[in-house]
């Protein structure tokens, strides 16, 4: 069994045991990190496997959507944004091609149909959120807005970020740095400083089993499908997920759909600031705002992925996947199988990060189920 490093607080020893099994079974080749906060203090700080330590910084992909959604929620809380105003009232160009009635609420719930454009985007273009936003604003939606939902995989951050910029004159990256990352000392960056790049460990490709490889080959993604359009698989060359996550240019630009870089420690700390008091400060989101942004706004069959899923407002409502979590638990996953969330019902936050991409790991690698059960059980024992 691969050695596990790091510490756990008394009462969380079972989490270390579970993580050791995960590293041995799932994440040895590439390595993984696990961090947990409970009642405002870090109670789990573990890493193991090949290639990472506790200080390693990783490509955490769509975890950036959670950070973006948190900035939007803060602006809603302060009255700078209104969930039920039309996006076009902030950003007039977005009204083109029948999108004028789309509200900020609908956009955040992945209901706008604004998943991409014909011809897609190159990697260089995907580094420029404003370019992506402008091209999508001028384009027709891929379904009638608000008649269904579909994952806005490479579009969500650019669109939400443009609304924030038009409403406040500030970028999400600037607001996140000033209001969340720097004050709390969070090691999750929307714009990785050059001096930290040496700590970055590149994302590694998936290693499917023969059965998984056969399943992929038997179910190719059609180039004209909504899945291909949302993930830029209809471009030439198709979107390269590893080149995207490992590019220094994207680390600097930090496109808000997937360009954040950090560690499990960092995302667990970010969500700890949502889950309860941290460093003597009250939770970032007031109870009524947390209740609203965590409420399920879209559920059922995703028009893009074809999966049964659910979205709240920019976040994923985690209790729909992990019923042991509280009803206001919110977070987001990322391509390699990363999963991070806040569960305010327990004053608990969690982040699992892995370097090698897991098979079908986009919604969170399967081992999150056993880790989350171990973490919540340990936290509940503290309350007994």
């Amino acid at each position: 069994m691969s050695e596990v490093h790091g510490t756990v607080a008394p009462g969380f020893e079972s989490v270390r045991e579970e993580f050791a099994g995960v590293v041995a079974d799932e994440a040895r080749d590439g390595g993984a990190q696990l961090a947990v906060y409970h009642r405002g203090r870090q109670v789990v700080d573990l890493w193991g496997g090949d290639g990472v330590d506790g200080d390693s910084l990783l490509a955490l992909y769509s975890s950036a959507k959670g950070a973006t959604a948190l900035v939007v929620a803060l602006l809603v809380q302060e009255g700078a944004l209104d969930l039920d105003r039309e996006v076009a009232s902030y950003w007039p160009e977005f009204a083109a091609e029948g999108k004028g009635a789309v509200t900020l609420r609908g956009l955040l719930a992945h209901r706008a149909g604004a998943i991409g454009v014909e011809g897609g985007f190159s990697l260089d273009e995907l580094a420029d959120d404003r370019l992506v936003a402008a091209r999508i604003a001028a384009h027709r939606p891929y379904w009638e807005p608000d008649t269904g939902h579909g994952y806005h995989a490479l579009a969500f951050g650019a669109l939400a970020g443009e609304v924030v910029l038009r409403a406040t004159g500030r970028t999400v990256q600037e607001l996140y740095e000033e209001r969340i990352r720097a004050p709390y000392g969070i090691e999750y960056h929307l714009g990785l400083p050059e001096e930290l790049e040496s700590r970055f460990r590149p994302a590694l490709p998936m290693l499917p089993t023969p059965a998984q490889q056969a399943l992929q080959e038997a179910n190719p993604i059609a180039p004209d499908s909504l899945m291909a359009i949302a993930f830029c698989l209809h471009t030439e060359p198709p979107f390269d997920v590893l080149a995207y996550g490992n590019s220094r240019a994207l680390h600097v630009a930090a496109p808000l759909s997937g360009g954040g870089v950090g560690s499990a420690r960092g995302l667990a700390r970010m969500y700890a600031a949502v889950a309860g008091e941290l460093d003597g400060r009250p939770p970032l989101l007031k109870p009524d705002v947390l209740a609203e942004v965590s409420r399920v706004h879209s559920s059922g069959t995703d028009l893009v992925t074809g999966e049964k899923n659910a979205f709240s407002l920019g976040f994923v409502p985690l209790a729909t996947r992990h019923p042991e979590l509280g009803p206001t638990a919110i977070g987001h996953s990322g391509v390699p199988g990363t999963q991070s969330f806040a569960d305010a019902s327990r004053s608990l936050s969690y982040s699992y990060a892995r370097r090698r991409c897991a098979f079908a790991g986009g919604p969170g690698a399967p081992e999150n189920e056993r880790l989350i059960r171990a973490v919540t059980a340990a936290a509940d024992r503290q309350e007994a």
Side-chain angles (χ1 to χ4, degrees), residues 33-36 263-265 267-268 338-341 349-353:
Q33 304 167 330
L34 178 66
V36 177
S263 64
R265 288 173 179 166
L267 281 175
T338 294
Q339 182 64 271
S340 308
F341 64 79
S349 70
Y350 164 103
S351 183
Y352 169 70

Side-chain angles (χ1 to χ4, degrees), residues 163-341:
V163 173
V164 169
L165 182 62
R166 297 294 183 105
T168 69
R170 310 293 304 284
T171 67
V172 166
Q173 291 91 336
E174 290 169 338
L175 293 168
Y176 170 77
E177 177 67 22
E178 294 173 11
R179 308 218 19 214
I180 302 171
R181 198 210 67 77
Y184 289 96
I186 292 169
E187 283 224 314
Y188 177 73
H189 300 269
L190 296 179
L192 184 66
E194 183 176 1
E195 63 270 19
L196 298 182
E197 187 71 27
S198 62
R199 290 169 52 195
F200 177 73
R201 299 293 177 264
L204 299 172
M206 181 176 60
L207 293 176
T209 66
Q212 291 168 342
Q213 184 67 39
L215 183 64
Q216 284 186 310
E217 293 173 354
N219 296 276
I221 298 172
D224 60 346
S225 66
L226 295 184
M227 181 81 153
I229 293 163
F231 287 87
C232 283
L233 301 177
H234 63 320
T235 61
E236 189 54 50
F239 175 68
D240 184 333
V241 68
L242 293 180
Y244 179 92
N246 294 336
S247 165
R248 173 61 188 158
L250 272 83
H251 296 172
V252 174
L256 296 172
S257 289
V261 174
S263 64
R265 288 173 179 166
L267 281 175
R269 187 164 176 81
M270 182 187 85
Y271 281 111
V274 177
E277 291 187 3
L278 184 64
D279 297 347
R281 298 181 176 96
L284 282 171
L285 300 181
K286 297 177 181 177
D288 60 331
V289 175
L290 178 60
E292 185 62 15
V293 300
S294 64
R295 182 168 62 84
V296 174
H297 281 68
S298 299
S299 64
T301 301
D302 188 297
L303 296 173
V304 169
T305 67
E307 301 170 339
K308 298 285 187 181
N309 62 15
F311 292 103
S312 50
L313 294 182
F315 300 102
V316 174
L318 268 295
T320 63
R321 295 181 182 173
H322 303 282
E324 61 269 37
L325 297 179
T328 62
I330 52 172
H332 216 287
S333 57
V335 162
T338 294
Q339 182 64 271
S340 308
F341 64 79

Side-chain angles (χ1 to χ4, degrees), residues 14-25:
S14 59
V15 177
R16 186 186 187 102
E17 295 172 9
E18 198 66 53
F19 182 70
V22 165
V23 169
D25 296 343

Side-chain angles (χ1 to χ4, degrees), residues 51-141:
V52 303
D53 59 28
D55 293 323
S56 297
L57 301 178
L58 308 176
L60 299 176
Y61 291 91
S62 288
S63 302
K65 294 183 176 74
T68 300
L70 181 53
V71 170
V72 171
L74 285 173
L75 294 173
V76 169
Q77 181 168 270
E78 294 163 2
L81 290 174
D82 183 338
L83 291 170
D84 294 312
R85 275 183 63 178
E86 291 82 5
V87 170
S89 71
Y90 301 105
W91 176 15
E93 296 91 330
F94 189 79
E97 301 289 339
K99 301 191 296 301
V102 175
T103 62
L104 178 58
R105 186 185 298 275
L107 179 67
L108 295 173
H110 294 261
R111 302 182 66 83
I115 58 173
V117 297
E118 292 180 13
F121 301 98
S122 68
L123 281 181
D124 286 344
E125 290 171 333
L126 286 170
D128 186 343
D129 273 346
R130 299 217 68 195
L131 180 152
V132 171
R135 285 185 58 191
I136 292 178
H139 198 275
R140 62 176 176 83

Side-chain angles (χ1 to χ4, degrees), residues 318-327 329 341 343 345-346 348 350 367-377 380:
L318 268 295
T320 63
R321 295 181 182 173
H322 303 282
E324 61 269 37
L325 297 179
F341 64 79
D343 182 356
S345 72
R346 293 181 172 89
L348 180 75
Y350 164 103
E367 62 264 29
N368 281 286
E369 293 185 10
R370 57 197 279 202
L371 292 171
I372 290 170
R373 284 196 298 269
V375 165
T376 55
D380 289 347

